[in-house]
Amino acid sequence: MLLRLPLPRVMLLAGRPYSSISRLALPRQQCRSYSASVDSSVEPIRGLDLGVAHSKLLLRTVAAMRGNAELQAQGVSEGDSKKMNMCQAINDAMRHTLATDDTAVVFGEDVAFGGVFRCSVGLAEEFGNERIFNTPLTEQGIAGFAIGMAAMGHTAVAEIQFADYIFPAFDQIVNEAAKYRYRSGNEFNVGGLTIRAPCAAVGHGGHYHSQSPEAFFAHVPGIKVVVPRSPIQAKGLLLAAIRDPNPTLFFEPKMLYRSAAEQVPTDDYVLPLSKAEIVRPGKDVTVVGYGAQIYALENAIQMIERDMPGVTCELIDLRTILPYDADTVAESVAKTGRLVVAHEAPRTQGFAAELAAEIQERCFLRLESPIERVCGLFVPHPLVFERFYMPCAVRSYEAIRRSLEY
């Protein structure tokens, strides 16, 4: 039946504001595609400023940065800071690594001139072409070369230009890097390996420049998988990933490269891997995400707390996908009795399913409603229909509300 729909008419309706759709003689259930609307005055948004630009989670001022408990624990909150976007923060992390570790090298496609997103700009001029260099267009070769360098004692920071193109390197990462220590009985390791890759939606990337492949690698023992949400997080987590004694995949939501900006400490610091952060405390429902999805969840929570007075939602950023911090999530769910998990990757076999199963086992007797998952649709990441695919603030709002009203 879906294949027989008059597609141009469907596209026409989807592009209209909800207010104009509601005037058509359509059943109510066909008028509820809130997430397809571009009109911010419609239900349930009603004029709320959405997106990263308006986020209250970003530490935009020196005072906010100095009040951060993790930065205080690292002893960098009172030092100098500089306004950086996420691209600049990642660049600063690699600069610290190169300056303090003579074995460190950075390489990948177009990396020497700064990379397509300019994350490595200026590094070749500062540290030389023997440490910052381009590679051929072969992701399998990049990963294999990085494994070899790490095995010989180097700190290898490799870039896969887009996470969508990491799949040719899958065998090298899964069968070589992840198993190197285990198969040698801990005689050898490639713990100095870090692979960076821009991931997730960017608004116009289509199916080859928008994917979120973290769940593929979260199934693999022997590696770590990290996804930051902001410049401060990106710098601290990347430095931690580079210095961790295990090979690490560092997925960078490219939508945030320039849209997220914070006062970032200029000193060297690390943030803990495998430790989730409660970025917004609450008592009625636990909401979990990572990367750019955190901002959609923040907006959903703002709408819920506006529309349901007295309700508060606890928002948790996982930060590390493997090994993830189930304890923090379980403690929160034991308090709230409800859980909503969201990510951009498709729902089927996505990481939300793993987290939902783990929390169901740990917190079954404390759950007040079924665990909700808000994810990308089970289709290749679309171009013109990306707005329908995304687990946006409105879809997240509806899932949180379902959980609360169950």
Side-chain angles (χ1 to χ4, degrees):
M1 291 297 292
L2 288 176
L3 293 177
R4 296 176 62 189
L5 284 173
L7 185 59
R9 180 168 174 77
V10 172
M11 293 168 62
L12 175 63
L13 294 178
R16 292 187 183 180
Y18 175 77
S19 56
S20 64
I21 296 176
S22 63
R23 291 196 294 269
L24 299 175
L26 295 175
R28 178 174 175 78
Q29 63 268 24
Q30 290 180 257
C31 299
R32 283 185 51 82
S33 298
Y34 297 138
S35 58
S37 175
V38 296
D39 184 348
S40 64
S41 69
V42 302
E43 294 285 350
I45 301 172
R46 298 205 307 276
L48 184 71
D49 291 324
L50 303 183
V52 182
H54 305 284
S55 175
K56 295 179 174 59
L57 301 179
L58 295 172
L59 307 181
R60 293 188 174 92
T61 67
V62 173
M65 181 272 294
R66 289 182 174 171
N68 182 269
E70 287 189 328
L71 296 180
Q72 290 172 355
Q74 288 290 313
V76 296
S77 61
E78 296 300 319
D80 293 336
S81 66
K82 182 180 178 181
K83 184 177 181 180
M84 301 183 195
N85 58 34
M86 202 166 88
C87 177
Q88 293 166 327
I90 289 167
N91 181 286
D92 198 43
M94 291 191 287
R95 179 173 281 104
H96 276 288
T97 298
L98 292 159
T100 58
D101 182 354
D102 291 338
T103 71
V105 290
V106 175
F107 52 90
E109 296 165 8
D110 303 319
V111 162
F113 78 83
V116 295
F117 293 104
R118 315 306 288 162
C119 287
S120 57
V121 68
L123 297 182
E125 291 80 3
E126 184 173 352
F127 296 101
N129 292 327
E130 290 187 353
R131 301 182 67 192
I132 318 294
F133 50 89
N134 294 331
T135 66
L137 275 65
T138 165
E139 286 77 17
Q140 183 179 16
I142 293 170
F145 181 73
I147 290 167
M149 291 208 70
M152 298 306 295
H154 282 272
T155 298
V157 182
E159 179 184 296
I160 301 296
Q161 196 168 84
F162 286 88
D164 312 62
Y165 297 114
I166 203 169
F167 298 111
F170 195 83
D171 177 64
Q172 289 292 324
I173 295 168
V174 171
N175 278 332
E176 302 300 335
K179 298 174 174 62
Y180 210 92
R181 188 193 304 272
Y182 182 84
R183 71 177 186 173
S184 70
N186 203 31
E187 187 173 351
F188 308 106
N189 71 83
V190 292
L193 170 63
T194 302
I195 297 178
R196 297 177 41 248
C199 71
V202 71
H204 53 265
H207 52 280
Y208 286 140
H209 297 84
S210 305
Q211 296 176 74
S212 299
E214 66 276 359
F216 288 97
F217 298 100
H219 188 67
V220 181
I223 59 176
K224 294 189 176 183
V225 182
V226 181
V227 187
R229 73 170 186 273
S230 72
I232 287 174
Q233 296 291 313
K235 178 178 176 179
L237 291 172
L238 180 54
L239 283 168
I242 291 171
R243 294 166 184 171
D244 191 88
N246 298 281
T248 303
L249 300 182
F250 195 83
F251 289 115
E252 302 161 6
K254 52 186 173 290
M255 178 69 83
L256 302 179
Y257 274 150
R258 286 168 177 79
S259 63
E262 292 183 302
Q263 284 294 137
V264 180
T266 56
D267 291 336
D268 191 318
Y269 66 93
V270 297
L271 295 176
L273 301 182
S274 299
K275 179 61 180 175
E277 181 184 9
I278 299 174
V279 295
R280 183 176 176 137
K283 62 179 175 56
D284 297 298
V285 57
T286 300
V287 182
V288 179
Y290 50 86
Q293 187 62 29
I294 288 294
Y295 302 103
L297 295 175
E298 178 192 19
N299 292 149
I301 288 170
Q302 290 169 340
M303 291 188 280
I304 285 288
E305 294 180 355
R306 177 201 62 197
D307 294 349
M308 305 179 75
V311 168
T312 59
C313 308
E314 185 145 287
L315 178 58
I316 297 177
D317 178 8
L318 279 181
R319 303 194 289 190
T320 302
I321 306 305
L322 182 70
Y324 67 99
D325 183 3
D327 291 342
T328 294
V329 179
E331 289 170 10
S332 177
V333 174
K335 174 181 66 177
T336 66
R338 296 175 172 86
L339 175 62
V340 177
V341 191
H343 56 60
E344 282 187 29
R347 171 187 170 99
T348 305
Q349 308 296 332
F351 185 76
E354 158 62 26
L355 184 58
E358 180 70 20
I359 298 305
Q360 184 268 345
E361 289 178 4
R362 294 192 184 203
C363 304
F364 181 74
L365 296 178
R366 304 301 295 269
L367 287 171
E368 300 288 345
S369 66
I371 296 172
E372 292 276 353
R373 288 180 288 160
V374 190
C375 310
L377 303 182
F378 192 56
V379 297
H381 197 108
L383 181 59
V384 295
F385 293 124
E386 183 176 276
R387 186 176 296 274
F388 295 90
Y389 171 91
M390 294 293 288
C392 65
V394 177
R395 285 179 58 199
S396 301
Y397 167 92
E398 292 175 338
I400 296 171
R401 186 147 195 157
R402 280 195 304 270
S403 181
L404 289 165
E405 293 179 343
Y406 183 80

